[in-house]
Amino acid sequence: MQTRGVIYIHSSPSAVCPHVEWAIGRVLERSGSASQGVKLGWTPQHAERATMRAERAWTGYAGMGAEFAKALAQWPMLRFEITEDPSAGVDGERIMHVPGRGIYRAAMSAGGEIMIAEDRIRALLATTTSAEALRNGLDQLLGLEWDRELRPFRQAAGGTEQSWLSQVG
């Protein structure tokens, strides 16, 4: 199943940028793409001094977003976000990484909204004893802390141009 998504590198130290490109390229190569060396259009990240940002749309198979996230998580200082659109029989996905917090991963609707599985909501309801605990649990399930931390990095990006990475073959 073909799908598409976007890789957002919200902040990366300059010295790590080539490694990010190599990691993305390795995922594309493993998928059968003839990766000719991935080059991202890096620009300064104004929300954090001395870091760079880039974003790149991609097309490939369902589950490829998780492979990109696994490859990028090797550098714990990166802030990144990966989206994967839903495809036939497969939910979409949003994956966020923030230094010190690690990875947050959730299903995503066709409209880009986080979806929480029924069993996770039931487990939360079964284990909470107060309205405050329920609120905190829902915030956790929704990835609120990751979202809050990434918001200034998203806003500092402005309206940058996207180019596409494609799985070929």
Side-chain angles (χ1 to χ4, degrees), residues 52-76:
M52 304 297 285
R53 68 162 315 281
E55 62 186 63
R56 196 70 171 268
W58 59 273
T59 59
Y61 55 85
M64 203 166 179
E67 289 189 33
F68 286 128
K70 182 179 177 184
L72 294 173
Q74 296 177 66
W75 295 279

Side-chain angles (χ1 to χ4, degrees), residues 2-165:
Q2 286 286 107
T3 189
R4 63 184 181 171
V6 181
I7 300 170
Y8 301 92
I9 308 297
H10 293 298
S11 70
S12 172
S14 296
V16 177
C17 293
H19 299 282
V20 168
E21 292 173 340
W22 296 330
I24 292 169
R26 282 193 304 273
V27 171
L28 290 170
E29 287 170 9
R30 282 195 311 267
S31 73
S33 294
S35 171
Q36 302 293 324
V38 172
K39 296 293 178 202
L40 301 176
W42 295 100
T43 59
Q45 173 51 274
H46 301 294
E48 183 177 44
R49 199 172 71 91
T51 64
M52 304 297 285
R53 68 162 315 281
E55 62 186 63
R56 196 70 171 268
W58 59 273
T59 59
Y61 55 85
M64 203 166 179
E67 289 189 33
F68 286 128
K70 182 179 177 184
L72 294 173
Q74 296 177 66
W75 295 279
M77 76 290 291
L78 293 179
R79 280 182 184 79
F80 66 83
E81 188 168 7
I82 299 170
T83 62
E84 180 173 309
D85 290 348
S87 55
V90 181
D91 289 332
E93 192 165 41
R94 171 176 286 147
I95 303 167
M96 297 181 278
H97 181 271
V98 172
R101 285 199 185 283
I103 287 188
Y104 168 84
R105 185 174 176 184
M108 187 176 70
S109 73
E113 298 170 339
I114 296 291
M115 298 186 307
I116 303 171
E118 176 182 347
D119 63 330
R120 296 182 76 190
I121 295 171
R122 288 185 189 281
L124 177 63
L125 289 171
T127 59
T128 55
T129 57
S130 69
E132 181 69 22
L134 179 60
R135 189 174 9 267
N136 291 337
L138 286 172
D139 287 349
Q140 184 73 24
L141 289 175
L142 291 168
L144 187 64
E145 290 302 317
W146 283 264
D147 196 46
R148 278 186 187 142
E149 190 157 337
L150 291 176
R151 187 171 298 129
F153 292 86
R154 292 179 190 127
Q155 291 171 342
T160 57
E161 187 176 316
Q162 278 185 2
S163 56
W164 286 84
L165 293 171

